[in-house]
Amino acid sequence: MIDYKNPKLILDSSNVKEGKISWQSPSNIALVKYWGKHGIQLPRNPSISLTLDEAHTKTFMSYSPKKNLDVDIDLDFYFEGQPNQAFANKIVKFLSGLSEIFPFVKQLKFKIESENSFPHSSGIASSASSMSALALCLCTLESDLFGTLKDDKEFRRKASYISRLGSGSACRSVYAHAGLWGTSGSIKDSSDLYAIPYQDEIHKIFKTFHDDILIVSQGEKAVSSRAGHALMDGNDYAAPRYKQANQRLHRLLAAMKSGDLETFGNITENEALTLHALMMTSNPAYILMKPNSLEMINRIRNFRADTGHPIYFTLDAGPNIHLLYPDNIYFDVKDFIQTELVPLCENGMMIPDKVGLGPLQL
Ligand code: DP6
């Protein structure tokens, strides 16, 4: 079992340098959903996601020798150009929790600036992109200071592991095209501790897939993902759900390998509805979909039935609809999206996105 605790990663205090590291990291959209966790950010079932492109976070990390020895973690944090104490507190807690993996974080003063490509109020979960961008900065910092992690596979695996500790879904964002997280019997190298790349095992049609994000509501969610995961512990359907996720994953991977869009779409839509059904069967039960989420789902299904176009939906833990379709039908579906779906979006807000190449060091 991998253990990243490393007491040797301590700087010689007479020779602490300063520098700056920046990464851009994308969000991702799960097809088989991670919903339910245990221990330290360990998933109850394996999940797979497509890596997005437009929806991303840029994180700029400057560091210098720490002078203020009264604080455990010395951090100034800016979100979209403004100091943000609420986010700073979360990151301090996160960095403090990493002190056995990256002991050097306590020897440095950090200024971290972060910005999202999507509006903060769009209702898009930013934890996957922001936590993966931060994890990538920390791994590059280790690599720069200690000459470690020179192998790309090793680097990304550790970045994925660290991302997971910040937010489970973030661990899948460090790879191009698709990432798979969670131990699954027949999948080589799969692990609950980090995600693995999955771009080589999927049909090329998925590498240019569209994922247009239809913003149904920009408001803050009534129940956070963190609280939602916790409610799975008392959910009567939890055990069959975890079994189902494993079975669906295998069927989905086979469909993604062959390019079978019908099976892909069927499983993907059922996963989205199952996720929301689990929320509705939690105690207390809650509903994150809005009337327009349902209206869009109906319109997408009707359009598909009428035209035969392979256009599907998924949702994350919120009301927004992710519209999935292959690039080769873009011109056939764009009028439908503009005339039938965009008017149902809050303030007409849609974020067109596509499968992307993963994080970029800036
Ligand atoms: C519905 O990764 O946001 O998007 O680990 O508590 O940060 P934490 O949860 P988070 O949960 C995401 C759940 C999901 C499905 C998924 O991305 O697999």
Side-chain angles (χ1 to χ4, degrees):
M1 182 131 107
I2 209 154
D3 181 6
Y4 284 120
K5 286 183 192 151
N6 187 351
K8 289 197 197 122
L9 296 178
I10 280 284
L11 296 162
D12 168 1
S13 52
S14 62
N15 186 24
V16 179
K17 296 184 218 120
E18 53 184 66
K20 188 166 183 180
I21 291 162
S22 308
W23 276 92
Q24 170 179 314
S25 190
S27 186
N28 66 70
I29 183 68
L31 303 169
V32 171
K33 310 289 184 184
Y34 147 58
W35 199 241
K37 59 178 169 178
H38 66 108
I40 301 176
Q41 291 285 98
L42 298 170
R44 290 283 186 193
N45 64 263
S47 58
I48 183 164
S49 58
L50 295 173
T51 303
L52 299 182
D53 188 34
E54 282 302 318
H56 59 245
T57 299
K58 285 183 183 165
T59 295
F60 307 91
M61 172 190 273
S62 314
Y63 61 93
S64 55
K66 179 167 121 180
K67 303 225 169 60
N68 181 357
L69 300 179
D70 294 339
V71 290
D72 190 38
I73 301 289
D74 195 351
L75 170 72
D76 289 333
F77 182 79
Y78 296 80
F79 180 68
E80 320 248 275
Q82 302 294 325
N84 187 314
Q85 201 48 46
F87 286 169
N89 294 344
K90 280 191 191 163
I91 294 173
V92 164
K93 204 168 155 214
F94 175 62
L95 293 177
S96 174
L98 295 175
S99 62
E100 287 184 294
I101 297 175
F102 297 131
F104 57 87
V105 296
K106 296 197 170 181
Q107 298 178 281
L108 297 169
K109 171 175 175 56
F110 293 100
K111 178 180 175 196
I112 300 179
E113 295 161 278
S114 188
E115 58 191 47
N116 292 340
S117 61
F118 42 90
H120 183 51
S121 61
S122 61
I124 297 186
S126 59
S127 67
S129 55
S130 60
M131 294 317 297
S132 55
L134 181 56
L136 287 154
C137 286
L138 289 165
C139 289
T140 298
L141 180 58
E142 178 196 314
S143 179
D144 287 357
L145 295 175
F146 298 94
T148 54
L149 303 175
K150 294 296 177 202
D151 173 63
D152 186 61
K153 192 173 165 198
E154 208 189 314
F155 176 87
R156 279 179 203 256
R157 179 172 286 189
K158 185 159 185 179
S160 178
Y161 180 105
I162 303 297
S163 303
R164 182 198 106 234
L165 297 176
S167 178
S169 56
C171 74
R172 298 181 308 236
S173 275
V174 305
Y175 300 112
H177 305 309
L180 185 146
W181 172 38
T183 307
S184 175
S186 57
I187 301 163
K188 195 171 162 287
D189 292 339
S190 62
S191 172
D192 284 353
L193 301 176
Y194 45 78
I196 56 171
Y198 213 75
Q199 69 258 45
D200 295 338
E201 290 82 357
I202 57 175
H203 190 280
K204 66 176 187 329
I205 200 159
F206 295 107
K207 300 187 179 176
T208 54
F209 233 66
H210 289 253
D211 176 23
D212 295 341
I213 310 168
L214 299 152
I215 307 298
V216 172
S217 168
Q218 308 174 24
E220 183 106 351
K221 285 186 292 190
V223 180
S224 70
S225 286
R226 197 153 290 239
H229 284 289
L231 287 172
M232 280 301 282
D233 288 341
N235 189 310
D236 290 341
Y237 297 95
R241 157 61 193 161
Y242 302 140
K243 190 168 163 212
Q244 171 193 61
N246 275 281
Q247 290 165 346
R248 280 184 176 163
L249 179 75
H250 283 96
R251 284 174 45 230
L252 180 75
L253 295 183
M256 289 182 81
K257 189 169 187 181
S258 65
D260 171 357
L261 292 184
E262 201 177 325
T263 305
F264 164 86
N266 181 272
I267 297 171
T268 298
E269 291 193 349
N270 285 350
E271 269 295 293
L273 296 175
T274 302
L275 170 70
H276 285 262
L278 290 165
M279 298 172 190
M280 293 181 210
T281 51
S282 292
N283 190 10
Y286 62 106
I287 302 175
L288 295 185
M289 282 196 278
K290 301 275 185 205
N292 277 357
S293 316
L294 294 177
E295 182 59 27
M296 285 190 196
I297 289 172
N298 287 332
R299 290 187 185 188
I300 294 162
R301 289 186 152 179
N302 288 340
F303 178 75
R304 188 166 73 229
D306 291 347
T307 63
H309 287 312
I311 183 165
Y312 301 98
F313 69 85
T314 188
L315 298 110
D316 57 19
N320 300 329
I321 298 285
H322 286 247
L323 194 62
L324 295 161
Y325 55 94
D327 191 48
N328 61 14
I329 63 164
Y330 172 73
F331 289 104
D332 300 319
V333 300
K334 78 186 213 322
D335 284 350
F336 160 69
I337 298 170
Q338 280 307 328
T339 57
E340 299 280 323
L341 301 181
V342 171
L344 297 173
C345 294
E346 192 167 24
N347 302 323
M349 196 197 283
M350 173 180 77
I351 301 178
D353 209 341
K354 268 184 129 175
V355 170
L357 294 176
L360 192 67
Q361 188 169 4
L362 303 171

